[in-house]
């Protein structure tokens, strides 16, 4: 015996009126259209792009990764020396792997008070990690953002 009801659509039901969502809730050109994670990804990529204007060949050799939070190992290492939770980390290149900079999204989002401050924090983290990888002063990596100030060396 066939248990299917005749004249019943076989596809998934949208809602009781059969319409469902008709389009995006926000237009694509508004900033709120993109989610938090996507905006954070954009901030990291904008920072890398900014550095690639000054260091085009060298920045291309670095992979930029975004993780929600640091690993337990990194947190434990920071706590052991009395540091705060890391906002970023870097791994030097090896013979078989490219250099990596890992930016931790949630700790940065928690301390940023505004979207502009989030962009600044992300760029500071990226520049700091590039500085660590290349063993160069921070103000040399991005002198327009970090002027000749002894606090940034």
């Amino acid at each position: 015996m066939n248990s299917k009801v005749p004249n019943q659509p076989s596809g998934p039901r949208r809602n009781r009126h059969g319409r469902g969502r008709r389009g995006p809730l926000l237009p694509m050109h508004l900033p709120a259209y993109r989610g938090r994670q996507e905006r954070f990804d954009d901030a990291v990529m904008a920072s890398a792009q900014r550095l690639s204007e000054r260091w085009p060949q060298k920045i291309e050799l670095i992979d930029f990764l975004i993780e929600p939070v640091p690993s337990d190992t990194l947190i434990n290492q920071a706590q052991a020396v009395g540091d705060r939770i890391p906002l970023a980390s870097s791994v030097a290149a090896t013979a078989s792997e490219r250099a990596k900079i890992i930016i931790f999204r949630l700790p940065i989002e928690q301390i940023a008070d505004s979207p502009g401050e989030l962009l600044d924090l992300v760029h500071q983290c990226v520049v700091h990690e590039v500085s660590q990888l290349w063993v160069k002063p921070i103000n040399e990596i991005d002198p327009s953002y970090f002027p000749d100030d002894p606090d940034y060396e």
Side-chain angles (χ1 to χ4, degrees), residues 17-108:
H17 297 290
R19 288 188 294 264
R21 196 172 83 177
R22 294 179 185 216
L25 297 176
L26 292 169
M28 293 173 69
H29 68 278
L30 293 178
Y33 178 77
R34 297 183 56 81
R36 261 188 11 216
Q37 291 177 353
E38 292 167 322
R39 287 191 304 266
F40 193 88
D41 293 351
D42 291 345
V44 172
M45 294 314 299
S47 182
Q49 178 65 33
R50 180 181 183 155
L51 292 179
S52 73
E53 292 170 6
R54 180 168 166 83
W55 309 93
Q57 288 82 23
K58 291 183 85 170
I59 287 293
E60 290 176 5
L61 301 175
I62 300 174
D63 290 333
F64 292 87
L65 307 172
I66 299 167
E67 297 287 331
V69 293
S71 67
D72 289 339
T73 305
L74 285 174
I75 292 172
N76 292 337
Q77 288 172 352
Q79 287 177 341
V81 296
D83 282 346
R84 62 176 185 203
I85 291 178
L87 303 178
S89 178
S90 58
V91 179
T94 64
S96 61
E97 291 195 21
R98 295 164 42 110
K100 294 177 187 154
I101 291 179
I102 304 110
I103 307 295
F104 304 116
R105 183 176 57 84
L106 292 176
I108 292 174

Side-chain angles (χ1 to χ4, degrees), residues 87 108 111-112 116-126 145:
L87 303 178
I108 292 174
I111 61 174
E117 187 175 357
L118 180 98
L119 291 173
D120 287 343
L121 282 170
V122 166
H123 190 65
Q124 288 174 13
C125 290
V126 168
Y145 197 76

Side-chain angles (χ1 to χ4, degrees), residues 139-140 143 146-153:
N139 59 355
E140 187 177 331
F146 295 95
D148 291 326
D149 186 342
D151 292 338
Y152 290 116
E153 292 193 35

Side-chain angles (χ1 to χ4, degrees), residues 13-20:
R13 287 184 50 174
R14 306 287 302 244
N15 65 20
R16 68 188 185 117
H17 297 290
R19 288 188 294 264

